[in-house]
Amino acid sequence: MDPTEDQPQPPLSANFASPAAAGGRFGASIRNSGYLRKWLLLGITIGVISGLGAVVFYLALKYTGDFLLGYLAAYHIPTPAAEGGSHGSAGFTRPWAIPLVTTAGALVSALLVAKLAPEATGHGTDAAIEAVHTDPRAIRFRAVGVKMVASALTIGSGGSGGREGPTAQISAGFCSLLTRRLGLSDEDGRLAVALGIGAGIGAIFAAPLGGAVLGASISYRDDFDYRCLLPGFITSGTAYAVLGAFLGFAPLFGYIDAEYRFEKPWPLLWFVVLGLAAAAVGYLYARTFHAVIRLTRRLPGGPVLKPAAGGLLVGLLALLIPQILGTGYGWAQLAADRAALLDIPLWIVVVLPFAKIIATSLSIGTGGSGGLFGPGIVIGAFCGAAIWRLSEATGLPGVPDGPGIFVVVGMMACFGCVARAPLAIMIMVAEMTGSFSVVPGAIIAVGIAALLLSRTNVTIYEAQRLNRETAEAERAQSASAD
C-alpha cells in the first residue's frame, strides 16, 4: 500500500500531472470533459459512495446500539416507523448500567479519535464545510473510518447525537480523496465536497431532494450556491437509490398527518406561535452547544477524559429523562401520535427540548463524535409537541386534533433556522415524514424563525461563511498571503 495514500496532497496541475498521479485515464477524462459529462460521472460516483457509506454507518450504529444499550444495559430505545416503529423498553431494568455504558462508549470513542485522527472529533459537518471553503484536499481518508467507528460508539452507547454529521464527513472525506487522486481543480474539488455533504445527509435520512438543496446551502449563512443544485440532483438521487436498495425506501417517520388539510385561515395563527418558539429554542440550542465547547477547552483534562465525563453526565441525566439517549428519532415518532404523546408526562414533554440540548452539548460539545442535525430534529419535534399539549389542554380554538402537524413543523422551524438552511430542512423533514400537506403552515413558522435568526450571527455550524463573496475574498486574501 502506498504510505502517502492517507495524506492530503498539494494541488496537481492538469498540464503537469502524470496519469498515475492523477487518476490515470479516468482522471484525465474527467478533467478534460465538458460540464455535463464531468458531473454526470462524478455525480454518480459520489452518489454511490455516499449511499454505501450511509448504509455501512447505519448498520454499524444499529448493531453497536443493540449490543451496548440493548444487551449490556437491557434498554431498548424506541425506533421510528421505517425501522420497525417499536415503543422500546418500558423502563430501566439495570439502571446502574446506563451511566457505565454511556461513559465507556464515550471513553473508547474519544481514545480512538485522539490516537488515530484528532480531526474526527465533534459533529463532523463543520470539518466538511471548512474543506469546502479552504482546501478540498485536506480531509484525511483515515478520518472517515475513525469517524464511523467513533460515532457508532458514542451514539450507540446512548450519547445524544445524530447520524448526519458522521455521514457528511464520511462522504466529504471520500470526495476529498477523489479530488486528490483525480487531480481536480480547487473549484471542482470544493463543489465535489459540498455535493458529498448533501448526498450523505440526504441518503441517511432518505430525503434526496432536501439533500440536494442542502448541499447548495449549508456552506453559507445567508447565501445559496446554485452551482451545486443540478449536480446535487444526480448525487443525492444516486445515493438515495443505493441506500434504498439495501434498507428500503420508506420515509424515516412514515407518513405523519399526510392527509391534513387547511380549510380556514385563522388556525394558521398557531404557526406564528410555533415559529417564535422554534426560533427561541433553536437560538438556545446553538448558544448552549458552543458555550459548552468553549467551557470544555478551559477545563482541565485531556481529549479522552472530557468526553468520558460528558458521557457520565448524560447517563446520569438519562436516569431521570430516558428520552435523551441516542438519536431520539423513535421518541419524535411517538410525539406525533396523540395517544403516545398523552402517555408521556406533561413535564417531560415540556422539559425534553431543553434536556436534549444539554445532553447533546455534553455528548458532542465535550469532544464526542456525532451529528447535530438529528438532535435538532428531536428538539424541534418536542417543541411542537409541548405547544400542542399546552394549547390542547386550554381548549383554545384552531388546535388540531392530533399533534402530528405541530411536531413536523417544529422539526422544520427549529433546526432550519439555526442551521441557516430553512428551505433545505423544510424539504428534508417533509420527505422524512411524508407530510408535504403541512407546507402552508410550515412556511409561516419556518419563515418567522429564519427571519429572527437572520438578525443574529448565531448558527449551529460555525464553519459557514456569510456568503459566496465573503468566502471568495477570504480565499483571495489567503492566496496573496502565501
Side-chain angles (χ1 to χ4, degrees):
M1 180 179 293
D2 183 356
T4 66
E5 180 177 343
D6 193 42
Q7 302 298 323
Q9 301 295 321
L12 293 171
S13 168
N15 296 325
F16 299 99
S18 68
R25 292 183 177 178
F26 180 70
S29 174
I30 291 292
R31 292 191 301 275
N32 296 327
S33 293
Y35 179 87
L36 178 61
R37 186 169 183 266
K38 176 193 295 183
W39 288 110
L40 184 63
L41 292 174
L42 284 177
I44 292 173
T45 304
I46 293 169
V48 169
I49 298 300
S50 297
L52 290 174
V55 170
V56 172
F57 180 64
Y58 170 85
L59 294 175
L61 180 57
K62 179 182 184 301
Y63 291 123
T64 303
D66 288 346
F67 177 74
L68 294 178
L69 277 180
Y71 178 73
L72 295 181
Y75 181 74
H76 298 276
I77 296 175
T79 57
E83 299 169 18
S86 71
H87 282 227
S89 302
F92 295 126
T93 57
R94 301 174 190 165
W96 53 269
I98 298 298
L100 294 179
V101 169
T102 57
T103 305
L107 179 66
V108 177
S109 171
L111 187 62
L112 286 174
V113 169
K115 296 296 183 183
L116 299 178
E119 67 269 32
T121 189
H123 58 89
T125 308
D126 263 340
I129 294 173
E130 189 64 30
V132 173
H133 292 306
T134 53
D135 184 3
R137 301 169 179 82
I139 303 176
R140 292 196 301 168
F141 197 62
R142 178 192 302 176
V144 171
V146 173
K147 187 70 177 179
M148 184 179 297
V149 176
S151 299
L153 287 169
T154 298
I155 304 170
S157 63
S160 179
R163 305 168 181 166
E164 88 299 330
T167 310
Q169 194 167 15
I170 290 166
S171 301
F174 170 76
C175 292
S176 187
L177 175 66
L178 201 66
T179 301
R180 297 195 297 270
R181 286 303 182 188
L182 298 184
L184 300 181
S185 66
D186 286 350
E187 182 178 355
D188 286 344
R190 282 192 287 270
L191 186 56
V193 173
L195 292 174
I197 296 172
I201 295 177
I204 201 70
F205 285 129
L209 178 57
V213 178
L214 188 70
S217 56
I218 197 170
S219 299
Y220 306 97
R221 294 203 302 270
D222 298 324
D223 206 347
F224 186 88
D225 192 347
Y226 64 90
R227 297 171 301 175
C228 290
L229 195 56
L230 295 181
F233 292 153
I234 298 171
T235 57
S236 291
T238 303
Y240 174 66
V242 171
L243 181 127
F246 289 93
L247 303 177
F249 295 94
L252 180 63
F253 295 107
Y255 296 89
I256 299 175
D257 276 357
E259 302 302 321
Y260 186 90
R261 295 293 180 270
F262 290 94
E263 297 177 351
K264 298 178 182 180
W266 53 269
L268 290 170
L269 293 174
W270 279 107
F271 296 93
V272 176
V273 176
L274 187 51
L276 295 171
V281 173
Y283 179 87
L284 181 65
Y285 181 26
R287 294 301 297 267
T288 303
F289 177 74
H290 294 305
V292 169
I293 291 177
R294 291 191 296 270
L295 177 62
T296 300
R297 289 170 181 165
R298 294 197 297 266
L299 292 176
V304 175
L305 293 180
K306 291 177 183 179
L312 174 61
L313 293 174
V314 169
L316 294 174
L317 181 59
L319 296 179
L320 180 64
I321 307 175
Q323 290 84 357
I324 66 169
L325 289 172
T327 62
Y329 301 148
W331 288 110
Q333 181 82 64
L334 293 176
D337 179 76
R338 178 187 176 92
L341 181 60
L342 291 175
D343 283 341
I344 302 174
L346 178 59
W347 74 270
I348 287 185
V349 176
V350 173
V351 168
L352 187 55
F354 309 103
K356 190 70 173 172
I357 289 172
I358 294 171
T360 305
S361 300
L362 290 172
S363 295
I364 312 304
T366 57
S369 191
L372 300 177
F373 188 130
I377 292 295
V378 178
I379 291 164
F382 274 88
C383 178
I387 290 175
W388 183 85
R389 279 287 296 266
L390 294 172
S391 58
E392 195 266 347
T394 63
L396 292 171
V399 180
D401 293 334
I405 187 170
F406 277 20
V407 167
V408 172
V409 174
M411 294 179 184
M412 296 174 173
C414 186
F415 194 72
C417 71
V418 78
R420 307 301 283 267
L423 178 60
I425 304 302
M426 186 164 62
I427 295 172
M428 290 190 75
V429 173
E431 291 180 287
M432 292 159 62
T433 59
S435 303
F436 283 93
S437 62
V438 309
V439 167
I443 58 176
I444 295 175
V446 174
I448 289 173
L451 281 172
L452 289 173
L453 264 292
S454 71
R455 305 305 299 170
T456 74
N457 290 323
V458 173
T459 173
I460 200 73
Y461 300 125
E462 291 197 319
Q464 288 175 329
R465 298 330 191 241
L466 180 63
N467 51 41
R468 284 174 289 162
E469 289 75 15
T470 302
E472 289 290 347
E474 180 183 298
R475 285 193 290 270
Q477 184 178 6
S478 177
S480 63
D482 293 340

